[in-house]
Amino acid sequence: VESLSLRLESMNPERVLERGYAMVTKGEELISSVAQVRPRQTLVIKLKDGTLTSTVKSVDIGDDR
């Protein structure tokens, strides 16, 4: 049970933010792809110690090849 508890805690979104990641949302929608965003939209970026509100200037769809 302790091992499962530790694994579950490591997946806690707050712990992930502490490792240097950010959570980006548009309204209530979680953003995981640039395809979800358009120029001039407002995004909220949650970091481990607070949030940023940002307006998108441009969107570049990367090439993963």
Side-chain angles (χ1 to χ4, degrees):
V1 172
E2 184 177 335
S3 174
L4 289 174
S5 177
L6 290 172
R7 286 177 59 189
L8 183 59
E9 180 62 24
S10 74
M11 300 300 276
N12 178 332
E14 299 297 324
R15 299 295 172 257
V16 174
L17 296 177
E18 288 175 5
R19 293 196 306 261
Y21 291 89
M23 184 172 15
V24 181
T25 56
K26 177 179 66 178
E28 297 296 316
E29 178 184 6
L30 184 63
I31 302 300
S32 62
S33 170
V34 295
Q36 295 173 267
V37 181
R38 300 287 176 259
R40 295 185 299 278
Q41 287 184 321
T42 299
L43 302 177
V44 175
I45 304 163
K46 183 174 182 182
L47 303 168
K48 72 176 183 176
D49 58 352
T51 61
L52 306 169
T53 301
S54 176
T55 301
V56 177
K57 289 175 71 173
S58 66
V59 176
D60 254 343
I61 305 224
D63 186 5
D64 289 342
R65 287 182 240 159

